[in-house]
Amino acid sequence: MRSEKINWKLLLSITALVILVLRLDQVLALLKTFWGAISSLVFGAMLAFVINLIMRPIEDFLSKSHSKFILKSKRALALLLSLVIVILLLAALVWLVVPSLIEAGEVMVKVLPGYFSETETFFKKLFADNPQIVAYIETMDIDWEQVVKNFVHFTTTGVSNMLGSAVGMVGTVVTSIVNLIIVIIFAIYVLLDKQRFVRLYHRACNLWLKPETEQKITRALYIIYDSFSSFICGQCLEALILGSTCALGMFILKLPYPLMIGTLVGVINIIPMIGAYIGGAIGMFMVFTVSPWLSVVFLIYLCILQQFESNIIYPRVVGSQVGLPGIYVMITVVVGGSLAGVPGMFLGIPIMASIYKLARIHFENEEKKKEEKDHEKEVYE
C-alpha cells in the first residue's frame, strides 16, 4: 500500500495559524519586544536611505575625478559632504525658526491681554440690551495678562522642571539619545558598506532562488526604491518651492515673520495633503499676535497659494515623479492617516505607488499571455 506524501508547507502554515489565534497576546508581546530590539536599526536604515539620495550624486561626481586619492576614498568623502549638507540644513532651519518663535512669544505676552480685553468690551456692547449677560461677563473678572504670563511660564519652565525632577523621564531622555546615536552610527556603516549588502543579496539569491524569481524580486526592489526616492525628492523640492513662494509673497505684502512662516509652511508641507494647512494655522497665529487684520490677509494669500500648489505644483513635481493617480493619493492619505497617523500619510504614498506599478506590470504580463494563448488557438483552428 503506497503512503501519501505529507504537505509540510500546508501543515506548518495551519500550525502557525492555530498558535497565532490561541496565543495572540503572547505573539503581539513577542513582536513588540522584537521591534524594540531592531527599531534603531530600522530607523538607521531609513536615515541611510535618505542621506544616500544626497550622497549618490556626490559620489558619481567624485568618480569623474583624475585624482587617485579622491577615487580611492570617494565614498567616505561623499558621505562626509552629505552629512555636512544635512547638518547645515538643520542649522539653517533652527536659525530661521527659533529666534522668530522667541520674538513672537514675547509679542504674544504683550499683545494678547489687550485683545482679550477688547473682546470682552465688544461683547459688553453687543449685549448692552441684556443686563444679565453683561453682569455675568463683568463677574468673570479675568486677569488676561496674568493668564498669558502663567501659560508662558508653564511652557518655558514648568515642563523643564518636571523633566528635571522625574528620574524616569531622565532615563527616557538618555535612552532616546543613545538610540539616536545608534541610528546615526548604523546609517553611516550602511552607507560606507552599501555595496557589501548588494553583493550579499545577489549571493543569497543565487544560492536559494531560481534566476526568474531573482529577476522578479530585483525588479520589484528597483520599483520600490524608485518610488520612495522619487517621492522624497519630489516632496523636498515641492516644499522648497512652496516655502520660498510663501516667504516671497509675505515680503511683498509686508507681513511679519516672512522667513520663519515660509520655512514652517515649507517644512511642514512635507506631510502630504494637510502639511501646508498645519503650517498655515501656525503662521496665522503668529501674524495675529502682530495684527488681526494682517492675519486675515495672510489667510487669504495662503488659501490662494495652497490652491495653486495643490492643482499645479504638486501634481507636476510629486505626482508625475511617483506615478500615482490623484484618486489613489487621496485614498492612501486617508487610510494611511487613519491607520498610522502622520507616518502612515508619509509612507503610504510611495508604498501605494510601488504596489500600483507592480500590479500594473503583473496585469500587463497576464494580458500578453492571454493574447498569446488566444492567438495560438486561432492558428490551430
Side-chain angles (χ1 to χ4, degrees):
M1 189 173 178
R2 190 176 61 181
S3 60
E4 294 184 0
K5 188 177 180 180
I6 300 175
N7 191 337
W8 290 104
K9 291 183 180 180
L10 179 61
L11 182 61
L12 290 175
S13 300
I14 295 174
T15 304
L17 182 61
V18 171
I19 294 174
L20 178 62
V21 172
L22 297 178
R23 295 287 186 267
L24 183 59
D25 53 343
Q26 296 179 8
V27 172
L28 292 177
L30 183 63
L31 290 176
K32 185 177 180 181
T33 304
F34 179 71
W35 170 249
I38 68 167
S39 59
S40 297
L41 303 181
V42 173
F43 289 129
M46 293 170 63
L47 178 62
F49 181 89
V50 175
I51 296 177
N52 188 58
L53 297 177
I54 305 173
M55 178 180 169
R56 189 174 180 179
I58 296 176
E59 191 174 356
D60 293 339
F61 176 77
L62 294 178
S63 299
K64 301 176 183 178
S65 175
H66 299 288
S67 172
K68 292 183 179 179
F69 171 76
I70 293 178
L71 291 175
K72 186 178 179 180
S73 56
K74 61 180 180 180
R75 180 156 297 167
L77 291 174
L79 176 59
L80 180 61
L81 290 173
S82 302
L83 293 175
V84 170
I85 291 172
V86 172
I87 292 172
L88 290 177
L89 288 174
L90 293 176
L93 290 176
V94 172
W95 178 74
L96 286 171
V97 173
V98 172
S100 298
L101 281 175
I102 295 174
E103 181 183 350
E106 295 174 352
V107 172
M108 181 179 68
V109 174
K110 296 177 181 178
V111 173
L112 283 185
Y115 289 152
F116 289 138
S117 299
E118 291 177 3
T119 303
E120 184 178 341
T121 303
F122 170 77
F123 280 110
K124 286 181 180 179
K125 293 180 179 179
L126 181 64
F127 297 104
D129 297 334
N130 195 327
Q132 293 180 346
I133 297 179
V134 175
Y136 176 75
I137 294 174
E138 291 177 348
T139 55
M140 294 174 67
D141 193 21
I142 300 175
D143 189 352
W144 294 109
E145 184 174 358
Q146 189 60 39
V147 169
V148 173
K149 287 183 178 180
N150 290 338
F151 175 75
V152 174
H153 177 74
F154 171 77
T155 53
T156 54
T157 62
V159 174
S160 61
N161 289 336
M162 286 190 295
L163 292 177
S165 60
V167 178
M169 191 64 71
V170 171
T172 303
V173 172
V174 172
T175 304
S176 300
I177 294 174
V178 172
N179 289 336
L180 179 61
I181 294 174
I182 294 173
V183 166
I184 295 173
I185 293 175
F186 183 71
I188 292 173
Y189 272 109
V190 169
L191 291 170
L192 288 175
D193 283 344
K194 58 183 179 179
Q195 212 62 36
R196 184 194 303 271
F197 293 100
V198 175
R199 290 195 298 267
L200 180 62
Y201 162 75
H202 286 295
R203 288 181 63 184
C205 289
N206 290 332
L207 286 174
W208 296 316
L209 299 177
K210 297 179 181 179
E212 297 81 5
T213 306
E214 179 185 357
Q215 184 179 3
K216 291 180 180 179
I217 294 175
T218 303
R219 182 176 59 182
L221 291 176
Y222 272 118
I223 290 174
I224 294 170
Y225 172 81
D226 180 68
S227 298
F228 273 85
S229 58
S230 299
F231 174 74
I232 293 174
C233 294
Q235 282 291 119
C236 292
L237 179 60
E238 195 264 345
L240 178 63
I241 294 172
L242 180 65
S244 303
T245 307
C246 180
L248 179 62
M250 292 183 69
F251 270 118
I252 295 173
L253 296 173
K254 296 182 180 181
L255 298 175
Y257 310 118
L259 283 177
M260 187 204 77
I261 294 176
T263 304
L264 279 176
V265 170
V267 171
I268 301 179
N269 190 63
I270 292 177
I271 304 173
M273 304 296 290
I274 64 171
Y277 294 104
I278 297 174
I282 298 174
M284 182 180 176
F285 176 75
M286 304 307 295
V287 176
F288 182 84
T289 60
V290 177
S291 170
W293 164 245
L294 290 180
S295 67
V296 176
V297 175
F298 170 76
L299 178 62
I300 296 172
Y301 167 68
L302 187 66
C303 289
I304 297 173
L305 180 62
Q306 179 62 20
Q307 290 298 315
F308 177 76
E309 183 266 344
S310 299
N311 297 311
I312 297 178
I313 299 177
Y314 195 88
R316 291 178 180 272
V317 175
V318 179
S320 60
Q321 290 194 17
V322 176
L324 188 65
I327 183 64
Y328 294 130
V329 173
M330 177 65 70
I331 294 173
T332 304
V333 169
V334 174
V335 176
S338 301
L339 294 176
V342 173
M345 292 182 183
F346 187 79
L347 298 175
I349 292 178
I351 291 174
M352 186 63 183
S354 303
I355 295 173
Y356 175 78
K357 293 175 183 177
L358 292 172
R360 188 173 61 182
I361 292 173
H362 174 73
F363 290 142
E364 289 176 355
N365 291 334
E366 292 297 322
E367 288 176 356
K368 287 181 181 179
K369 291 179 181 179
K370 187 176 183 302
E371 290 176 358
E372 290 175 358
K373 289 181 179 179
D374 294 340
H375 180 68
E376 291 177 357
K377 287 181 179 179
E378 291 177 358
V379 170
Y380 285 119
E381 290 176 356

